[in-house]
Each structure stands twice: as C-alpha cells, then as structure tokens.
Amino acid sequence: MAMNKNTVLAWATTIMIIVGLGLIALGAFRYDDVAGWGFAAVGIGFFANAWVFNALKGRV
C-alpha cells in the first residue's frame, strides 16, 4: 500500500478527529468540574488542527 502525502494527511485527519471526539467525551461525561472544560477545549483544538490538515490535502 503506497502512502503518498494526501493519504498521510487523510490518516492524520481521521486520527485527530477520533482523539478530539474522545477528549470532548471525557470532558462531557467523565469530569464534572473545571477539568472537563479543559478537556473539551483541547478536543475542539484537535478539531481545528484536523480541519487544517484536511484543507492542506492536495496543496502541500
């Protein structure tokens, strides 16, 4: 299986979305105090990075 730059960016985007969803779920369901807000904020940051990686496909 040949992995070119677009495939690598697609995998990175997918992994970052999964990690972001996991962090948001931790913030929403596991931690009820201020730490939950931190987990959710970092999860949203992962979504932002995944969005950038998705936008870079085909341009790098």
Side-chain angles (χ1 to χ4, degrees):
M1 177 169 101
M3 289 186 60
N4 57 10
K5 59 188 173 190
N6 290 332
T7 307
V8 170
L9 286 172
W11 275 105
T13 301
T14 305
I15 291 169
M16 290 191 82
I17 287 174
I18 291 170
V19 171
L21 284 174
L23 286 169
I24 291 173
L26 274 175
F29 300 118
R30 175 68 172 96
Y31 296 103
D32 293 332
D33 51 354
V34 179
W37 289 98
F39 275 101
V42 172
I44 292 170
F46 268 86
F47 278 164
N49 284 336
W51 181 31
V52 170
F53 281 173
N54 192 29
L56 286 175
K57 283 194 303 188
R59 298 179 193 266
V60 176

